[in-house]
Amino acid sequence: MMLSDVMEDYLKVIYQLQQETDDRIKTSEIADELDVTSPTVTSMLEKLEERGLIDREKYRGVTLTDEGETVALEIVRHHRLLEAYLTEHLDYDWSEVHAEADRLEHHISEDFEARVADALDQPEVDPHGSPIPSADLEPPERPDGKSVVEFTEGDVVVVEEVADHDPDILSYLSDHGVEPGVELDILEVAPFGMITARASGRDDPVSLPEDVARHVRVTQPAELEQ
């Protein structure tokens, strides 16, 4: 099935939004994610529905069909493998790779994908901690982590995943040692949402405004041992 890059982008976004909720995905959510108008989204959803890639219910939103999910998983796999390759082999900073992978993900062959995966020793996660779908395109398990905003003063957590959409936020977090696998001591949670934490191995604490903290998913060490 030949699909345009834009169609694949829509399927990828719907897939990613579905990972955060068990509800159908609303037109407005897709519009916000892609920074387009709702009428533009509606027009594209009609095309995707005609091709059997989404299930759409008026006023209730959309979900991916099995075929739509398979397409989305392939694009997500391409994207996250490319992010890992650019970081590990081409010295890209993790704040730079999202946009580069967005440009390349639609245009690599299955052979290239396989060679990248082999060069990386079949990685399970990308540089931001997001799970990479397997070569057989089975959906990966949802990460167990919660947003760091759900924890409180005195908690000790481990960074599991960081959303990769905003390079400025990624640069800020990296500068303060907030990366997947790093332990964070939550020192203070202010009433207006500011979280102060200290990354393991760092002397200075880092301030995480709520809009930044929501990009960071964490789990408690006890949960990791289970």
Side-chain angles (χ1 to χ4, degrees):
M1 177 184 295
M2 293 295 296
L3 300 175
S4 69
D5 293 358
V6 175
M7 286 179 171
E8 291 180 348
D9 284 339
Y10 271 76
L11 295 173
K12 181 178 74 170
V13 164
I14 294 169
Y15 170 80
Q16 291 171 333
L17 290 171
Q18 284 184 176
Q19 301 314 293
E20 302 170 7
T21 179
D22 293 322
D23 295 332
R24 287 176 170 269
I25 307 305
K26 297 179 174 58
T27 298
S28 59
E29 295 175 299
I30 301 170
D32 288 344
E33 193 72 18
L34 291 171
D35 195 25
V36 296
T37 66
S38 289
T40 297
V41 173
T42 298
S43 176
M44 178 56 71
L45 294 182
E46 290 173 352
K47 296 176 183 178
L48 296 175
E49 184 180 29
E50 288 173 1
R51 291 178 175 240
L53 298 170
I54 62 169
D55 177 75
R56 188 163 66 115
E57 291 187 18
K58 196 171 184 179
Y59 306 122
R60 293 196 59 222
V62 303
T63 59
L64 295 174
T65 63
D66 289 344
E67 186 173 6
E69 183 177 67
T70 298
V71 174
L73 284 166
E74 183 172 25
I75 298 303
V76 170
R77 176 171 168 81
H78 288 178
H79 182 97
R80 293 177 180 173
L81 281 173
L82 287 164
E83 287 190 334
Y85 189 83
L86 290 167
T87 302
E88 293 188 26
H89 290 277
L90 298 182
D91 295 326
Y92 276 71
D93 186 82
W94 77 331
S95 65
E96 302 174 307
V97 294
H98 179 71
E100 199 71 66
D102 269 345
R103 287 187 282 269
L104 296 170
E105 65 192 13
H106 306 286
H107 308 294
I108 66 172
S109 67
E110 291 184 9
D111 182 60
F112 184 86
E113 171 203 312
R115 292 185 185 216
V116 168
D118 285 341
L120 296 167
D121 197 23
Q122 304 297 329
E124 295 184 358
V125 296
D126 72 9
H128 311 100
S130 301
I132 299 174
S134 63
D136 58 8
L137 301 181
E138 286 295 319
E141 293 185 12
R142 289 187 185 180
D144 295 328
K146 302 176 182 177
S147 171
V148 73
V149 300
E150 298 185 39
F151 294 84
T152 189
E153 181 178 328
D155 286 339
V156 177
V157 297
V158 175
V159 179
E160 182 181 51
E161 182 180 7
V162 179
D164 64 358
H165 305 303
D166 191 320
D168 291 333
I169 289 177
L170 286 171
S171 292
Y172 178 79
L173 293 173
S174 182
D175 288 344
H176 291 86
V178 182
E179 299 177 348
V182 170
E183 190 172 270
L184 294 179
D185 292 321
I186 300 179
L187 306 177
E188 182 181 2
V189 179
F192 50 86
M194 178 75 76
I195 294 174
T196 303
R198 180 180 289 112
S200 58
R202 296 294 182 109
D203 294 326
D204 297 329
V206 56
S207 296
L208 302 174
E210 186 172 1
D211 60 337
V212 173
R214 289 192 178 280
H215 286 72
V216 182
R217 297 184 68 84
V218 299
T219 187
Q220 291 183 297
E223 296 174 0
L224 290 176
E225 295 170 2
Q226 292 179 357

